[in-house]
Amino acid sequence: MPLMRSWVESANAPDTDFPLNNLPCGVFSLGDGEMRCGVAIGEMILDVTGLEEAGLIAPDPEAAVFDVAHWNDFMELGPEAWAAFRARLTELLAEGAAERGRVEPHLVAMAEARLHMPFSVSEFTDFYAGKHHAMNVGTMFRGPENALPPNWLSIPIGYNGRASSVVVSGTDFRRPWGQLKSPEHELPAFLPSRRFDFELEIGAIVGQPSQGMVSVAEADRMIFGYVLLNDWSARDIQAWEYQPLGPFQAKATATTISPWIVMAAALEPFRVSTPPRERPLLPYLQEPGPMLYDIHLEVDLTPEGGEPTTITRTNYREMYYSSAQQLAHHTSSGCPMNVGDLLGSGTISGPTKESRGSLLELSWGGKEPITLKGGGKRSFIEDNDTITMRGWAQGDGYRIGFGECTGKVLPALPEDELPFNRR
């Protein structure tokens, strides 16, 4: 599919994340104004709440769905409404559109806007579905012969995270304290995490509810769209706590997502198949067609006062299990899924050192620090480091981008300010 040209000139630039082909969904505000639903188009935001108020769009003829500061009400309308909405916006924004004069007043400059959480997160589940990542981590801790757990090639492994921890790009947070075991302590100690890390992921947003089990094909149709996702991880806290029930506080500090939801329809031209299988999947997990996407991914690390260094380049097509497979498996026990559920893909690593999706892998457990521009080195994230993720699918003269997913790690709360030390 070629570039779809818009009368919004900045949307026709080959390097924009937001051409007319994309139309990602977000929530924005101007100054002290109210939060409103919007769609990114080039360097502008189209005020979708304003379009609905003006009668230019009506996804639900019987009720307003954009009078709230999230996209959940619209998602509930289902795939037919999603497709009609995209078609209507394309009509309004296309080059030569008859209603340009009525639409143009509803454009605002993205540079002047503040972006917020684009949807209300109902539940958050994170998976461990990247084979290169699982092999790397397993090799570090158990050796290559036992790197993958026995069930890994048959089942998408995951854990239930905290919806309350999910924050929008640009949200800074403190390094976590936690109980950890270190070589200099015979017994566990309560300390700030010393091995804090990022994990490069894609998040799938469930746009339709389910009751009972769904097929992979049905799960694929339930997914409204995708965001970049940083599953921040305290590796030392995780190492002490994860047996036998898996990650807990190590993953509860923050989970950062990009502010724009790229609708699944925008990624349709970029579908690719999951990789060959070492063993057949059970029928309920088998895919009816390509379920992954060809999405280029990059991660920058920027120290305070320094310049960014791109430390990772990889691709979402490296995943072993697709989001549709993960969602289908999630329902296999009869687990209901809700509108606004968020599924983290698991860390996206490629086959080379430069394509590893976490510092744990890039520094090989801290034994091989990476070098930054300016000469600094990193094994894990230091105080005031900023991690920035970018992703895009490359089309013919255009790209479908996600914008940036950024977070800064501030120093841990001082010891004398911890609740049990307050006087």
Side-chain angles (χ1 to χ4, degrees):
M1 177 185 292
L3 170 70
M4 300 169 64
R5 296 193 64 84
S6 171
W7 53 262
V8 180
E9 283 301 323
S10 59
N12 301 323
D15 59 347
T16 182
D17 274 352
F18 309 125
L20 185 56
N21 305 62
N22 192 349
L23 300 177
C25 309
V27 171
F28 74 99
S29 63
L30 296 174
D32 297 327
E34 64 180 6
M35 293 189 290
R36 301 169 73 83
C37 292
V39 163
I41 179 74
E43 297 174 357
M44 310 298 286
I45 299 174
L46 181 61
D47 183 351
V48 172
T49 300
L51 290 186
E52 186 179 53
E53 292 169 348
L56 285 163
I57 57 170
D60 183 350
E62 298 182 0
V65 293
F66 295 122
D67 59 345
V68 290
H70 55 69
W71 284 76
N72 297 55
D73 289 2
F74 172 73
M75 288 191 279
E76 287 184 12
L77 299 180
E80 290 186 7
W82 306 344
F85 173 76
R86 284 183 58 82
R88 176 58 174 160
L89 288 190
T90 301
E91 177 187 13
L92 293 175
L93 292 169
E95 200 169 55
E99 295 180 275
R100 172 176 175 174
R102 296 181 64 198
V103 174
E104 202 158 10
H106 297 283
L107 285 175
V108 299
M110 193 177 298
E112 299 175 4
R114 179 184 175 189
L115 301 178
H116 304 273
M117 279 290 296
F119 70 107
S120 178
V121 182
S122 298
E123 312 256 6
F124 171 48
T125 303
D126 195 44
F127 285 87
Y128 184 57
K131 188 179 179 186
H132 296 296
H133 173 69
M135 284 293 299
N136 288 337
V137 173
T139 298
M140 271 184 257
F141 295 110
R142 296 183 296 274
E145 65 283 353
N146 297 308
L148 293 180
N151 59 356
W152 200 92
L153 296 174
S154 297
I155 188 172
I157 297 173
Y159 67 93
N160 289 312
R162 292 288 302 174
S164 61
S165 76
V166 182
V167 297
V168 73
S169 175
T171 304
D172 301 338
F173 58 90
R174 288 189 178 274
R175 178 182 299 273
W177 284 78
Q179 186 176 137
L180 53 92
K181 183 75 167 59
S182 59
E184 60 266 36
H185 292 87
E186 182 178 351
L187 294 175
F190 192 68
L191 299 166
S193 172
R194 301 170 180 180
R195 294 163 69 91
F196 200 66
D197 201 359
F198 72 89
E199 290 193 14
L200 170 61
E201 303 192 22
I202 291 282
I205 300 165
V206 177
Q208 288 288 275
S210 69
Q211 294 291 332
M213 185 178 180
V214 302
S215 69
V216 175
E218 289 169 331
D220 186 59
R221 292 191 291 271
M222 288 169 59
I223 296 173
F224 175 69
Y226 297 84
V227 291
L228 300 179
L229 186 148
N230 187 344
D231 177 33
W232 301 97
S233 302
R235 301 296 186 187
D236 40 8
I237 298 173
Q238 183 178 355
W240 178 242
E241 75 176 3
Y242 83 102
Q243 295 187 31
L245 294 181
F248 183 35
Q249 293 301 93
K251 302 279 192 170
T253 300
T255 301
T256 304
I257 64 168
S258 52
W260 297 106
I261 305 170
V262 175
M263 294 176 69
L267 294 170
E268 191 65 26
F270 306 98
R271 283 190 182 265
V272 292
S273 297
T274 47
R277 306 284 171 188
E278 290 81 353
R279 67 174 73 141
L281 294 176
L282 295 176
Y284 82 98
L285 282 175
Q286 292 175 5
E287 295 174 305
M291 293 285 165
L292 284 179
Y293 301 101
D294 182 3
I295 300 173
H296 304 274
L297 298 162
E298 293 181 348
V299 178
D300 285 359
L301 190 156
T302 308
E304 186 173 32
E307 58 181 318
T309 301
T310 300
I311 58 175
T312 295
R313 289 185 175 92
T314 187
N315 195 294
Y316 180 56
R317 69 187 304 161
E318 297 288 350
M319 298 306 294
Y320 197 80
Y321 295 100
S322 67
S323 295
Q325 286 173 306
Q326 292 168 348
L327 179 53
H329 178 66
H330 212 323
T331 70
S332 62
S333 63
C335 172
M337 303 303 293
N338 300 312
V339 173
D341 282 350
L342 175 64
L343 307 182
S345 63
T347 304
I348 306 167
S349 294
T352 64
K353 182 174 182 178
E354 296 75 19
S355 60
R356 295 172 182 170
S358 68
L359 276 168
L360 177 66
E361 298 166 84
L362 288 164
S363 72
W364 206 250
K367 297 176 182 177
E368 302 172 10
I370 63 171
T371 301
L372 306 179
K373 291 180 181 179
K377 293 185 179 294
R378 289 292 185 277
S379 294
F380 293 95
I381 297 171
E382 295 187 4
D383 289 348
N384 299 308
D385 282 351
T386 297
I387 297 294
T388 301
M389 299 176 173
R390 293 180 295 275
W392 70 94
Q394 186 63 54
D396 180 11
Y398 71 97
R399 56 195 246 171
I400 302 296
F402 291 77
E404 292 187 343
C405 179
T406 299
K408 183 177 182 179
V409 180
L410 303 176
L413 191 71
E415 187 171 5
D416 60 2
E417 294 184 25
L418 296 175
F420 54 84
N421 286 329
R422 293 175 189 157
R423 300 188 186 279

